[in-house]
Amino acid sequence: MKTIKNILGIMNGTSLDGIDLVLCKKTGNKNISYMSHAGIKFPPLLRKKLLSATQNTLTSGEASLLNHELGRYYAESIKKIVKRKKWKVDLVGLHGQTIFHKSGKASLQIGEASYLAQTLNCRVVSDFRQADIAAGGRGAPIAGIFHQKVVDTNRAVALHNIGGISNLTFIKNKRVEASFDTGPGNLLMDSFCQKYLGISFDENGGLAKKGLIRVDLLLKLLRHPYLQQKPPKSCGREEFGPNFLKRFDGIIKKMKKQDVLATLTEFTALTVADAYKKNKILPEVIYFCGGGAKNKFLLSRISYYLPEIQVTTTQDLGWDPQHIEGAAFAYLALLGINRVPGNIPKCSGAKRPVVLGKIT
């Protein structure tokens, strides 16, 4: 069995904006440190197919073919990066692309791991969510066990990821006390930008900052039933994807573009803040990570609703906000290969701790 020194974490999230690669070094038996990073954009045709898959429009045969196409794309593109950067990879943690997630019932990530295992000549741990669901859990979020490694303090703090979907991990005395999806992250804002403006996202919230909030639309968005549920809970594109936004097309088409973005940004900010308030989670500081951590206007709106809490990013912890989630799957791969449980039952709702991931 190959000695494990370097672990590659591969993450592509709900927003379908591309693939994050985070190379980590094993430090001790159960810890990792950051080494290097790379990003890959999806080719337009592949992204289009993946988007169709998330909208439940593919046949089972088409989904099966896409699973292998994505697996080959991982292998071919990552092989080039590994060669160019002279990376040595002993183990891979592959999240895959989520094309369906129904909390506690089923979760499907595609991107056949066998291609990477053969191309990089190492073991790949993938399909992390299924064991938690089988144990009665929601299957998401599952990065909390790594988040507590990143935040090594006895203080009451939160590590909050804003990807396509937003999720928090509350840590007190170096223990995870809560971890759940709060609702939309960048997904609604990005979907609007891509559909109506022909841009990938609203950089730094620059357009949203110029707009005015439409309270009537905001109140309609806030009626989403997911926001009334108590944790443990998880969500995805099924709850807060383009289909949800499409319900409000009649209002949106009559609005100024910057006003729509201002309202969608406020919606995300409010749902993040409410998750802390409604559940009486009171950290001293929230460290944000993910793509949303770069949206200064969004963070300012969250801070407005949580004036007693310091709002910053994981940069203050020595971790680039964009590297956290990829590194989390490198860490989960390390736990998985050593058959160490990776879920936190009181957070996911699982009946017991279980080992996450399947080894290829």
Side-chain angles (χ1 to χ4, degrees):
M1 189 168 70
K2 183 186 282 190
T3 301
I4 297 170
K5 294 182 179 179
N6 299 338
I7 310 168
L8 180 61
I10 304 172
M11 177 67 188
N12 37 300
T14 320
S15 55
L16 283 169
D17 52 357
I19 307 165
D20 282 323
L21 311 177
V22 182
L23 186 68
C24 298
K25 181 180 181 180
K26 179 186 172 188
T27 54
N29 290 328
K30 294 182 185 177
N31 214 342
I32 59 173
S33 61
Y34 170 79
M35 290 179 70
S36 188
H37 171 265
I40 305 170
K41 290 290 183 184
F42 286 126
L45 182 57
L46 179 56
R47 186 181 187 278
K48 185 178 180 181
K49 290 179 182 178
L50 291 170
L51 188 58
S52 293
T54 65
Q55 294 171 341
N56 205 26
T57 60
L58 301 187
T59 65
S60 57
E62 289 167 337
S64 180
L65 288 168
L66 183 58
N67 175 48
H68 282 259
E69 182 180 348
L70 180 57
R72 286 190 293 271
Y73 182 70
Y74 281 139
E76 292 162 5
S77 55
I78 291 170
K79 180 182 179 181
K80 293 175 184 175
I81 289 173
V82 167
K83 184 178 180 180
R84 186 176 77 245
K85 288 182 167 280
K86 298 180 181 178
W87 285 352
K88 292 183 179 179
V89 179
D90 306 308
L91 178 67
V92 173
L94 173 66
H95 177 267
Q97 182 63 57
T98 300
I99 63 169
F100 180 79
H101 181 80
K102 188 170 179 61
S103 180
K105 299 291 184 182
S107 191
L108 181 58
Q109 287 72 45
I110 64 169
E112 177 52 54
S114 302
Y115 294 98
L116 263 175
Q118 293 184 32
T119 299
L120 297 183
N121 191 31
C122 68
R123 288 168 295 173
V124 178
V125 185
S126 61
D127 214 12
F128 289 95
R129 302 185 185 277
Q130 313 311 328
D132 184 74
I133 293 173
R138 272 62 178 176
I142 55 173
I145 198 165
F146 175 65
H147 291 169
Q148 70 179 345
K149 293 283 185 182
V150 174
V151 187
D152 186 21
T153 175
N154 288 318
R155 298 167 68 198
V157 300
L159 200 153
H160 199 120
N161 176 59
I162 302 181
I165 295 297
S166 159
N167 56 74
L168 70 81
T169 302
F170 178 52
I171 302 158
K172 190 175 181 180
N173 296 322
K174 299 186 180 182
R175 291 176 60 86
V176 176
E177 298 294 334
S179 185
F180 59 92
D181 291 338
T182 64
N186 303 315
L187 190 50
L188 294 177
M189 296 179 286
D190 291 355
S191 295
F192 177 79
C193 285
Q194 290 156 20
K195 182 177 179 179
Y196 290 96
L197 299 175
I199 57 176
S200 298
F201 61 96
D202 180 17
E203 189 170 358
N204 280 327
L207 292 172
K209 192 174 183 179
K210 297 174 183 176
L212 298 173
I213 298 162
R214 275 282 293 268
V215 177
D216 56 339
L217 175 58
L218 182 60
L219 291 175
K220 286 181 169 67
L221 294 167
L222 287 167
R223 288 176 192 153
H224 197 296
Y226 180 81
L227 303 175
Q228 315 313 318
Q229 294 176 23
K230 294 185 179 297
K233 60 179 183 175
S234 68
C235 60
R237 295 181 76 95
E238 291 73 22
E239 288 80 16
F240 294 105
N243 287 339
F244 171 62
L245 195 60
K246 194 174 181 180
R247 297 181 203 172
F248 308 99
D249 268 356
I251 301 174
I252 286 172
K253 287 177 180 177
K254 297 175 184 176
M255 292 173 59
K256 292 180 180 178
K257 302 297 187 289
Q258 62 264 35
D259 292 352
V260 178
L261 280 170
T263 306
L264 293 177
T265 302
E266 199 74 3
F267 179 48
T268 291
L270 264 172
T271 54
V272 167
D274 281 352
Y276 289 93
K277 291 178 179 178
K278 288 179 179 178
N279 295 288
K280 296 181 171 58
I281 295 172
L282 299 171
E284 296 173 42
V285 56
I286 304 173
Y287 297 99
F288 282 93
C289 64
K294 297 180 180 180
N295 187 329
K296 294 177 182 177
F297 180 62
L298 173 61
L299 294 193
S300 74
R301 295 309 299 157
I302 295 170
S303 184
Y304 172 82
Y305 288 111
L306 298 172
E308 304 301 317
I309 300 173
Q310 181 188 350
V311 169
T312 184
T313 75
T314 56
Q315 199 72 58
D316 288 357
L317 300 169
W319 280 88
D320 185 298
Q322 203 65 38
H323 299 165
I324 295 289
E325 295 305 284
F329 285 92
Y331 182 68
L332 287 171
L334 179 62
L335 296 183
I337 205 77
N338 289 317
R339 314 316 291 160
V340 176
N343 67 331
I344 303 174
K346 69 178 176 182
C347 297
S348 72
K351 296 181 179 68
R352 66 190 73 85
V354 289
V355 176
L356 304 181
K358 299 169 185 175
I359 302 169
T360 304

